[in-house]
């Protein structure tokens, strides 16, 4: 047994998740009828909009990978593993039985199984291992979108490994040793020095009690020890209020030096095999994301290596935050997609009032509304990923990425909770029961809105981007005007953006409104260009046209509901 897992449990048996007919002397009291079959499907194969987005982005080379992961993520076996990993959350052991400090977190075997699958598929690494294609971030975003439909706690780990790479590269000696292990598709959960491991995971420990998102308020201190083979070594002392994934092999963290907030890499194991000082005070008892561990930690003369320049820790770490924001924008779209799939599966297989639920006018109106929202969220996230891919060669794409990533993060994360709540309602009481996936999705939905900056923090970041580079608005307008002259309400929205931006720059209280209008404009732009007319017209009429705009899903009647639903998930 490795040093941080539960004891082995019985292997998954598909019959655990399927209806069981009781055998015995007592007669059955009833027969089960009018209930949907257990859902199992290839999550990539049943998603025409995602397939089209991958093709037009030039990432069709990843289709085989996406098909493989789609089949796995939609399997009954993975659904079982996800439920087990969340039913039996991580447990903290601060001391061993002799009283020695050990600071270990133990996970259920299902969690380790899911980690092996996600890392084995390259959900964390594809953007970097296939960077030469020019579409690595798009392909990786699609993998993440699919895996987010399976189990979200594991996605914290894949996100941090993905986003850490540019930060590690700030110190070439660190990157030379750590990057190959971080990008490895082998999952190695045992703690040990990086050069003796088959694969590695990276965590984050940034915020403190007194500051939260205000990282400049951090008071953890770092004292220089001297040069090493990896770079300048420091001793760190202080606390972190939120530390993600405490059994990671290393953590990117912030601490004060004489020159200000600086960024460091803190390994959990030192080169001689000893454990670094990393005291886990307690695990957070969270609303959701139960399979993943979050904790409070204390550093005491903890050894760390400087990453980047002293005093430049926040700009250094923000490059990582840019990619984690992209990740959670895609993640929220994935959560929405899985909730929609569950709602469609249920309503197509259950009858009420002499009709299948999906054939009830109010139900299929609501489902069509959700389907449009889901496609728009995915399209926005993948367009942001495409801009990240193009950032290295195109100033225009770099400017679009700078604004698209926070806009997609704010909008998708805000829309997800109400979306999942509506989809849950489509299942009725069945959706509120823990044997369904819906309660877990409902608890997961608000988290991405908190991670890497709340909506207000992201809104201010959007204003900051426009202030620092006024040419961003030119790139935005050029992109959005490609879809002009197709819908009058869209044209009015787009042409009003420069004035709204000027107002928001003068009055920060308008930042959310600006972000919302930008998100709607980017979504409509892509839908008009690439989606069927029934989808783009319905989006513009229901989301942009002020006369028709509804505040709850299902409040606008779409003329092409059947076509919209068939596109969302072919029968």
């Amino acid at each position: 047994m490795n040093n941080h897992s539960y004891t082995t449990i019985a292997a998954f048996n598909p019959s655990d998740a399927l209806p069981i007919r009781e055998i015995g002397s007592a007669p059955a009291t009833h027969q089960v009828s009018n209930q949907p079959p257990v859902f199992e499907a290839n999550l990539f194969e049943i998603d025409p909009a995602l397939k089209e987005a991958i093709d037009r982005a030039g990432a069709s080379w990843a289709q085989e990978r996406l098909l493989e992961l789609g089949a796995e993520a939609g399997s009954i076996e993975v659904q079982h593993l996800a439920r087990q990993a969340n039913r039996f959350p991580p447990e903290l052991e601060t001391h061993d039985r002799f009283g020695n400090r050990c600071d270990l977190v133990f996970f259920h075997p299902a969690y380790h199984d899911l980690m092996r699958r996600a890392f084995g598929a390259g959900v964390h690494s594809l953007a970097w291992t296939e960077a030469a294609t020019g579409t690595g971030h798009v392909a990786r975003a699609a993998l993440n979108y699919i895996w987010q439909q399976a189990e979200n706690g594991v996605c914290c780990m894949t996100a941090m490994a993905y986003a850490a790479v540019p930060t590690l590269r700030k110190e070439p000696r660190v990157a030379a040793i750590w990057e190959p292990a971080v990008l490895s598709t082998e999952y190695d959960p045992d703690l040990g020095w990086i050069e003796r491991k088959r694969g590695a995971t990276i965590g984050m420990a940034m915020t403190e009690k007194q500051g939260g998102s205000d990282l400049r308020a951090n008071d953890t201190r770092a004292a220089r020890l001297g040069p090493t083979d990896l770079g300048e070594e420091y001793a760190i002392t202080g606390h972190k209020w939120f530390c993600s994934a405490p059994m990671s092999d290393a953590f990117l963290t912030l601490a004060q030096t004489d020159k200000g907030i600086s960024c460091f890499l803190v390994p959990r194991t030192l080169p001689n095999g000893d454990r670094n000082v990393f005291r886990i005070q307690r695990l957070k008892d969270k609303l959701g994301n139960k399979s993943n561990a979050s904790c409070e930690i204390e550093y005491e003369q903890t050894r760390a290596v400087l990453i980047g320049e002293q005093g430049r820790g926040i700009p250094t770490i923000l490059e990582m935050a840019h990619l984690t924001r992209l990740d959670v924008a895609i993640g929220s779209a994935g959560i929405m997609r899985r909730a929609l799939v569950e709602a469609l599966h249920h309503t197509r297989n259950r009858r009420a009032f002499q009709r299948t639920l999906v054939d009830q006018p109010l139900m299929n109106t609501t489902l069509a509304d959700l389907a449009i929202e889901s496609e728009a969220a995915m399209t926005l996230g993948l367009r942001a990923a495409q801009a990240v891919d193009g950032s290295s060669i195109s100033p225009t794409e770099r400017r679009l990425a700078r604004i698209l990533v926070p806009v997609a993060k704010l909008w998708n994360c805000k829309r997800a909770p109400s979306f999942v709540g509506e989809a849950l309602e489509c299942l009725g009481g069945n959706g509120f029961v823990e044997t369904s996936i819906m309660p877990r999705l409902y608890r997961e939905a608000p988290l991405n809105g908190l991670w890497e900056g709340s909506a207000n923090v992201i809104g201010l970041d959007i204003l900051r981007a426009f202030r620092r580079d006024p040419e961003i608005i030119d790139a935005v307008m050029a992109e959005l005007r490609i879809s002009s002259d197709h819908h009058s309400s869209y044209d009015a929205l787009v042409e009003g953006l420069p004035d709204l931006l000027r107002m928001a720059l003068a009055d920060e209280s308008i930042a959310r409104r600006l972000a919302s209008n930008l998100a709607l404009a980017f979504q409509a732009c892509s839908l008009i260009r690439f989606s069927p007319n029934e989808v783009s017209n319905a989006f513009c009429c229901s989301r942009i046209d002020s006369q028709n705009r509804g505040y709850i899903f299902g409040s606008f009647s779409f003329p092409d509901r059947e076509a919209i639903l068939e596109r969302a998930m072919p029968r």
Side-chain angles (χ1 to χ4, degrees):
M1 188 178 82
N2 62 49
N3 62 7
H4 52 291
S5 69
Y6 284 82
T7 54
T8 303
I9 59 168
F12 167 74
N13 183 340
S15 66
D16 293 345
L18 297 172
I20 297 173
R21 195 173 122 192
E22 194 174 89
I23 299 175
S25 57
T29 60
H30 68 281
Q31 290 185 339
V32 176
S33 63
N34 197 25
Q35 290 283 352
V38 175
F39 174 78
E40 185 172 31
N42 186 311
L43 298 177
F44 181 67
E45 207 163 48
I46 64 171
D47 196 340
L50 177 61
K51 291 180 185 177
E52 293 170 12
I54 290 300
D55 287 344
R56 66 175 175 260
S60 55
W61 57 266
Q63 187 172 54
E64 186 175 342
R65 288 174 179 260
L66 292 164
L67 280 167
E68 290 177 3
L69 189 64
E72 190 165 27
S75 69
I76 293 173
E77 183 177 5
V78 165
Q79 292 176 56
H80 174 81
L81 291 170
R83 184 163 180 246
Q84 295 300 305
N86 283 273
R87 282 185 66 199
F88 302 101
E91 295 181 355
L92 171 62
E93 187 173 289
T94 57
H95 297 77
D96 67 17
R97 65 192 183 98
F98 303 107
N100 300 306
R101 189 95 197 192
C102 60
D103 296 291
L104 296 175
V105 179
F106 295 85
F107 294 83
H108 192 275
Y111 172 86
H112 292 296
D113 196 339
L114 292 164
M115 287 283 286
R116 277 189 288 273
R117 293 166 188 257
F119 275 74
V123 176
H124 66 304
S125 60
L126 195 66
W128 311 114
T129 58
E130 299 292 342
T133 66
T135 56
H137 287 280
V138 167
R140 187 265 160 189
L143 285 178
N144 181 42
Y145 177 74
I146 289 172
W147 189 259
Q148 291 276 356
Q149 298 176 53
E151 206 289 309
N152 308 106
V154 168
C155 295
C156 175
M157 302 299 299
T158 58
M160 290 187 293
Y162 159 63
V165 171
T167 303
L168 295 176
R169 289 175 177 174
K170 298 289 185 182
E171 177 46 72
R173 288 171 291 182
V174 169
I177 292 177
W178 281 88
E179 187 174 325
V182 170
L183 297 183
S184 169
T185 53
E186 290 192 71
Y187 170 60
D188 182 356
D190 293 327
L191 290 178
W193 176 240
I194 186 65
E195 292 179 294
R196 295 187 283 275
K197 285 178 61 69
R198 294 174 284 112
T201 51
I202 297 287
M204 295 172 66
M206 303 295 171
T207 60
E208 300 179 8
K209 298 185 187 78
Q210 72 282 354
S213 297
D214 183 5
L215 297 177
R216 297 191 185 281
N218 285 8
D219 60 15
T220 295
R221 305 295 303 181
R224 185 175 179 275
L225 297 177
T228 68
D229 291 341
L230 286 179
E232 292 294 324
E233 189 173 51
Y234 284 71
I236 296 179
T237 300
H239 83 281
K240 295 296 171 183
W241 187 234
F242 273 94
C243 171
S244 297
M247 291 308 293
S248 297
D249 294 291
F251 299 83
L252 287 164
T253 197
L254 297 176
Q256 294 275 5
T257 68
D258 293 340
K259 295 184 179 180
I261 295 283
S262 304
C263 182
F264 298 89
L265 182 73
V266 176
R268 281 224 57 185
T269 305
L270 300 173
N272 64 3
D274 290 345
R275 295 278 174 79
N276 207 357
V277 179
F278 189 91
R279 293 182 180 143
I280 304 174
Q281 302 301 92
R282 61 174 174 174
L283 298 185
K284 299 286 191 182
D285 187 6
K286 299 175 292 184
L287 168 68
N289 207 241
K290 295 288 189 179
S291 66
N292 178 42
S294 303
C295 66
E296 300 161 26
I297 63 168
E298 295 283 343
Y299 297 133
E300 185 177 358
Q301 295 296 299
T302 302
R303 291 167 63 179
V305 177
L306 179 68
I307 303 291
E309 299 178 38
Q310 274 196 70
R312 297 282 299 165
I314 293 177
T316 298
I317 212 65
L318 282 180
E319 190 168 355
M320 181 178 184
H322 185 63
L323 294 180
T324 48
R325 286 173 178 174
L326 173 62
D327 185 274
V328 297
I330 296 290
S332 289
I335 290 172
M336 294 159 73
R337 172 65 187 175
R338 184 56 189 265
L340 172 65
V341 164
E342 292 289 329
L344 284 170
H345 176 71
H346 180 88
T347 57
R348 283 174 172 173
N349 289 280
R350 187 167 172 84
R351 294 179 63 83
F353 309 110
Q354 291 78 53
R355 280 187 291 186
T356 306
L357 282 177
V358 75
D359 294 325
Q360 307 279 357
L362 269 175
M363 179 61 80
N364 61 38
T365 297
T366 302
L367 289 167
D369 208 352
L370 292 172
I372 292 166
E373 186 76 19
S374 175
E375 182 169 344
M378 179 275 294
T379 301
L380 179 61
L382 259 64
R383 180 62 186 95
Q386 191 175 5
V388 171
D389 271 319
S391 292
S392 60
I393 58 174
S394 167
T396 297
E397 288 297 294
R398 185 171 63 250
R399 289 188 170 100
L400 286 174
R402 177 63 185 90
I403 212 68
L404 267 166
V405 168
V407 163
K409 194 276 185 195
L410 185 152
W411 187 251
N412 284 357
C413 294
K414 270 295 173 195
R415 298 293 284 173
S418 59
F419 183 104
V420 176
E422 191 68 58
L424 186 155
E425 190 173 324
C426 294
L427 277 68
N430 288 337
F432 207 67
V433 177
E434 289 294 340
T435 48
S436 159
I437 191 178
M438 300 302 282
R440 189 170 81 244
L441 295 176
Y442 190 71
R443 288 191 294 268
E444 294 289 349
L447 175 59
N448 286 336
L450 302 173
W451 199 24
E452 296 305 344
S454 64
N456 288 344
V457 170
I458 300 299
L460 294 175
D461 182 59
I462 291 168
L463 294 183
R464 187 181 306 113
F466 280 116
R467 285 194 183 103
R468 290 185 175 178
D469 186 356
E471 291 185 49
I472 288 178
I473 189 60
D474 297 327
V476 168
M477 296 303 291
E479 170 88 0
L480 297 178
R481 282 173 175 152
I482 293 173
S483 295
S484 294
D485 301 324
H486 289 275
H487 202 284
S488 58
S489 61
Y490 171 77
D491 294 346
L493 175 69
V494 170
E495 295 310 318
L497 287 173
D499 285 341
L500 182 59
L501 173 61
R502 282 189 286 272
M503 292 167 60
L505 290 173
D507 180 1
E508 290 181 350
S509 70
I510 303 174
R512 283 194 183 208
R513 181 180 160 197
L514 173 66
S516 300
N517 283 17
L518 284 166
L520 289 169
F522 277 117
Q523 287 181 322
C525 178
S526 291
L527 294 177
I528 289 169
R529 293 179 68 189
F530 304 117
S531 297
N533 287 338
E534 57 264 24
V535 174
S536 60
N537 287 338
F539 182 90
C540 291
C541 289
S542 60
R543 269 73 172 171
I544 300 175
D545 192 326
S546 60
Q547 293 182 342
N548 297 326
R549 190 179 301 176
Y551 291 95
I552 60 172
F553 288 107
S555 60
F556 181 82
S557 183
F558 306 101
D560 300 304
R561 298 193 295 271
E562 295 303 325
I564 292 169
L565 293 180
E566 188 64 21
R567 174 175 173 78
M569 189 169 82
R571 291 179 185 269

